[in-house]
């Protein structure tokens, strides 16, 4: 693609991201996407044949960005405790930054096999990134531990998506708590260190 084509492609994805996120897949019209991107409606169809294909492209870009940014952050860490903290913050702040775009998650196209397959692929890639961290830290059950950690973070994200009063400090508190809980266990969490940040195994 030429630079002009790339710019239009990105403008369409940006407009679609905002509209899908705030209004939902079914409520969003391709004409609205075109207007948001500053191009003619027919031009949108030169890049994406259908609204489903456009939603898939928006999802793919977002998920790939999630994995790439996580990898970059983890590359700057060495200790397991630090890496687990990075994963928790990355996971929760991903949703915090999108709390005005929750319909990307709850108003997506139903029964789209390509989307379902891609999301399964994304979740597997995410889990394997966490597995790698745990293996490097000496975990004996890395896959089970990765599933458990991601499960904890997924539950905590729900507060972000459903509580309009949720603030940045709330996300930060939950990220720190999840990492500490995972490293020390539930019993140790009943007697936290004064700063609440101890990671002693």
């Amino acid at each position: 693609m030429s630079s002009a084509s790339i710019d239009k492609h990105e403008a369409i994805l940006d407009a679609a991201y905002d509209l899908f996120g705030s209004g939902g897949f079914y409520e969003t019209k391709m004409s609205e996407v075109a207007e948001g991107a500053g191009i003619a409606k027919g031009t949108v169809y030169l890049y994406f044949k259908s609204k489903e294909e456009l939603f898939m492209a928006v999802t793919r870009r977002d998920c790939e960005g999630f994995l790439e940014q996580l990898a970059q952050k983890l590359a700057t860490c060495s200790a397991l405790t630090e890496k687990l903290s990075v994963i928790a913050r990355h996971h929760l702040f991903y949703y915090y930054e999108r709390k005005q775009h929750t319909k990307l998650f709850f108003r997506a196209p139903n029964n789209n096999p390509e989307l379902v397959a891609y999301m399964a692929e994304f979740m597997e890639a995410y889990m394997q990134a966490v597995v790698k961290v745990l293996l490097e830290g000496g975990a004996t059950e890395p896959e089970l531990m990765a599933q458990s950690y991601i499960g904890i973070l997924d539950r905590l994200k729900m507060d972000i998506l459903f509580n309009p009063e949720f603030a940045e400090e709330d996300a930060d508190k939950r990220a720190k708590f999840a990492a500490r809980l995972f490293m020390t266990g539930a019993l140790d969490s009943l007697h936290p260190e004064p700063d609440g940040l101890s990671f002693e195994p």
Side-chain angles (χ1 to χ4, degrees), residues 12-117:
I12 293 169
L13 290 178
D14 289 343
Y17 172 87
D18 286 337
L19 289 163
F20 287 144
S22 60
F25 173 79
Y26 293 102
E27 290 78 2
T28 297
K29 296 178 174 62
M30 291 293 264
S31 59
E32 294 172 329
V33 174
E35 183 179 351
I39 60 176
K41 180 180 176 181
T43 304
V44 176
Y45 286 102
L46 294 177
Y47 292 87
F48 302 99
K49 296 176 183 177
S50 66
K51 191 163 65 167
E52 288 80 6
E53 184 177 312
L54 177 56
F55 189 92
M56 185 71 218
V58 169
T59 300
R60 187 180 294 275
R61 184 179 70 164
D62 206 40
C63 290
E64 288 175 354
F66 177 94
L67 294 173
E68 288 168 5
Q69 291 164 24
L70 177 60
Q72 290 168 5
K73 292 173 183 176
L74 289 173
T76 66
C77 306
S78 55
L80 175 61
T81 54
E82 186 181 7
K83 290 182 178 181
L84 288 173
S85 292
V86 162
I87 291 167
R89 284 188 60 82
H90 184 68
H91 188 118
L92 295 181
F93 274 88
Y94 168 85
Y95 289 100
Y96 180 75
E97 290 163 3
R98 287 158 180 75
K99 67 179 197 168
Q100 303 304 322
H101 292 79
T102 57
K103 290 180 181 177
L104 281 170
F105 313 111
F106 298 121
R107 301 295 289 277
N110 296 326
N111 303 318
N112 183 328
E114 184 183 4
L115 181 61
V116 171

